[in-house]
Amino acid sequence: MDRDSGSKRKYFDYIVVGCGGIGSAALYWLSKRVPNGVLGIEQFSLGHANGGSQDHSRIIRMAYHDDAYTRLTPDTYKAWEELEKESGLQMLYRTGGIILARVGEHDHIVQQYADTMKANNIPCEWLTGSQLHRKFPQFTTDDRYVAVYQKDSGLVDAAIGNAVHVQLARGNGAAILENCAVLRIDRDKKGTVCVHTTRGDFFCRRVIVTAGAWINHVLGSLGVHVPIYVTQEQVTYLGTPHMRDFTKDKYPVWIFHSPAHDIYGLPIHGNSGTKVAVDAGGPVVTPDTRTFEPDAVREKVCLDLLQEILPSAIGPKLYTKTCLYAMPPDRNFIVDTCEKYGWKDVIVCNGAGHAYKFASLLGKILSEMAIDGTTKYDISAFNLDREALLDPNYEPVFLRSGSKVPASTKKQPDQAKL
């Protein structure tokens, strides 16, 4: 058992399958309440770059367009702050955040964000493009743009967040198997859940599946299939020569909404430059067919927007890194048990390509569901019984001009064997 003792142990109270952002958080929160009772299983090495949970930085924000998320955001911050307090390491950085669009295009979305924050008593500031430029001179915007600013938005260090969750979980006695693929899940003759892996069989009271793009590979043996679109995404880091203007204390995270793309940016953090990317704009793939090759077209889309609104952010390309999103058609989280399929003791969570900001809180929620059978947080919008997961003709909300679904997969996303 990689770097863990107890390799001959077969029974654990709880097993977590997939130890990325959400899975590592579940390990941590479970281990706080059930020391020495938790096993994490990861098919690759910890910190791998095959999925979607590893990078320098991810946006965290109070600003959300939907109450289902906005109600959770204050507790999201509290979860990260508790982790920081216990570890002594900073993961959460408040830079402020901007949501913006051109007037007459997607300014109604900016208004929706503002309205949702107001309804949830989250302070925010409405800005014309000229006011945005005065507040943050890096933005060369005029009154052809509108924006909403929220002071508590910022970034979370994903790589450190994952590592801290894992290290603290191990400190609480959690065991972790790396480079260990799950083959299937079933029950033994006594009805105990059994997780069959390439390194042996393990038994538990409940299992939590946080397997990202491999979710249906794990759930398939239970007769469970979740409609998930796996897309290959990418982020680009630029070496701006104007570094002082793009540090975390001077440059906010931002999201630009347009009819064709949603594009986001982050300040310099870690050994990187400014970060920019198209959100959910990549081609539909499987974990087997994806490549690690950047798409020059999407790089250009980002650079064109920077030239328009943030020209001083542009510098030599440091690198472009690919990752995988795994998204239900409505791009909402899945947080539920598989009880309708006869598996109340199997809990599944999918982050829909935008969950890292919520990762620690989702881990806490999953631990409550596993240990207590319920959670105090409102996750009613994220159930397995909703229309988007039951209607095979539900049109994916995130597939725009940059991401086409082949006709053969439109009604059966991720139908290929993973």
Side-chain angles (χ1 to χ4, degrees):
M1 192 170 290
D2 300 354
R3 299 194 298 276
D4 287 320
S5 60
S7 59
K8 295 182 180 179
R9 182 177 174 186
K10 293 298 181 182
Y11 181 84
F12 295 82
D13 292 299
Y14 306 101
I15 293 177
V16 178
V17 178
C19 299
I22 298 171
S24 64
L27 283 173
Y28 164 72
W29 288 100
L30 284 165
S31 71
K32 284 171 69 72
R33 296 181 59 187
V34 190
N36 303 304
V38 187
L39 171 67
I41 301 176
E42 170 55 52
Q43 66 173 322
F44 303 110
S45 60
L46 292 175
H48 67 85
N50 298 301
S53 292
Q54 193 74 15
D55 200 11
H56 294 289
S57 58
R58 299 299 176 84
I59 288 178
I60 187 169
R61 51 192 167 100
M62 288 285 194
Y64 251 89
H65 64 286
D66 189 322
D67 281 345
Y69 298 99
T70 307
R71 285 193 297 266
L72 294 174
T73 53
D75 291 301
T76 295
Y77 281 71
K78 291 176 185 177
W80 285 115
E81 288 162 355
E82 183 171 340
L83 190 69
E84 288 182 328
K85 183 177 180 181
E86 184 171 350
S87 68
L89 296 175
Q90 184 174 0
M91 285 152 272
L92 172 62
Y93 298 83
R94 286 176 169 83
T95 64
I98 296 291
I99 308 290
L100 74 157
R102 300 182 189 93
V103 173
E105 284 191 353
H106 271 39
D107 47 347
H108 64 284
I109 293 180
V110 180
Q111 185 66 59
Q112 188 177 358
Y113 276 93
D115 292 343
T116 303
M117 284 189 284
K118 182 178 179 181
N120 288 274
N121 298 312
I122 297 172
C124 61
E125 183 180 357
W126 185 266
L127 300 171
T128 65
S130 297
Q131 290 169 330
L132 172 60
H133 172 66
R134 288 194 291 272
K135 192 175 188 71
F136 297 104
Q138 303 96 320
F139 288 88
T140 57
T141 50
D142 54 27
D143 289 345
R144 292 174 294 175
Y145 304 83
V146 292
V148 63
Y149 171 74
Q150 209 291 315
K151 64 182 180 61
D152 293 308
S153 296
L155 65 86
V156 175
D157 190 311
I160 292 181
N162 294 349
V164 168
H165 278 136
V166 166
Q167 289 180 54
L168 292 179
R170 279 179 162 144
N172 292 330
I176 299 176
L177 274 171
E178 302 180 56
N179 301 303
C180 179
V182 170
L183 303 175
R184 69 185 188 279
I185 299 173
D186 58 21
R187 291 193 178 97
D188 65 11
K189 294 179 180 179
K190 297 180 181 180
T192 304
V193 177
C194 180
V195 180
H196 301 269
T197 80
T198 53
R199 297 177 64 180
D201 300 340
F202 300 90
F203 302 86
C204 64
R205 290 177 55 202
R206 286 196 175 99
V207 61
I208 296 172
V209 178
T210 52
W214 294 264
I215 185 172
N216 285 316
H217 176 81
V218 177
L219 295 178
S221 58
L222 308 178
V224 178
H225 178 87
V226 181
I228 294 292
Y229 289 89
V230 178
T231 62
Q232 179 170 308
E233 307 297 336
Q234 62 187 46
V235 296
T236 298
Y237 289 93
L238 299 172
T240 173
H242 306 286
M243 296 181 70
R244 183 175 294 182
D245 295 331
F246 294 91
T247 56
K248 292 187 288 289
D249 59 337
K250 291 186 177 181
Y251 178 55
V253 299
W254 55 269
I255 303 172
F256 184 92
H257 292 281
S258 77
H261 303 286
D262 295 334
I263 299 175
Y264 62 92
L266 294 90
I268 298 168
H269 176 72
N271 184 23
S272 69
T274 59
K275 179 177 178 179
V276 64
V278 176
D279 178 58
V284 175
V285 297
T286 74
D288 290 331
T289 63
R290 65 82 59 89
T291 73
F292 291 85
E293 294 300 317
D295 176 6
V297 173
R298 278 180 285 158
E299 287 179 352
K300 185 176 185 301
V301 166
C302 294
L303 291 173
D304 287 348
L305 179 66
L306 291 181
Q307 189 63 54
E308 178 184 340
I309 66 170
L310 283 160
S312 60
I314 298 174
K317 184 180 78 171
L318 302 179
Y319 61 92
T320 295
K321 178 180 180 180
T322 66
C323 65
L324 295 180
Y325 280 12
M327 301 176 285
D330 59 359
R331 210 184 171 189
N332 285 322
F333 296 167
I334 298 172
V335 189
D336 204 352
T337 70
C338 294
E339 183 174 8
K340 65 173 287 187
Y341 299 96
W343 289 89
K344 186 178 181 179
D345 37 15
V346 175
I347 301 167
V348 60
C349 183
N350 170 265
H354 62 107
Y356 197 87
K357 62 185 74 66
F358 293 94
S360 196
L361 179 63
L362 285 171
K364 184 177 184 180
I365 289 169
L366 293 169
S367 73
E368 291 178 352
M369 293 172 69
I371 297 169
D372 306 322
T374 187
T375 177
K376 60 180 173 286
Y377 299 96
D378 184 2
I379 57 171
S380 57
F382 309 138
N383 61 74
L384 283 168
D385 293 327
R386 63 186 191 258
E387 179 188 2
L389 303 184
L390 299 177
D391 180 2
N393 296 310
Y394 194 98
E395 238 359 86
V397 300
F398 47 83
L399 295 172
R400 296 179 176 177
S401 59
S403 182
K404 303 296 185 183
V405 185
S408 61
T409 66
K410 195 158 191 177
K411 292 187 180 181
Q412 289 186 301
D414 76 348
Q415 64 179 349
K417 298 296 183 183
L418 305 186

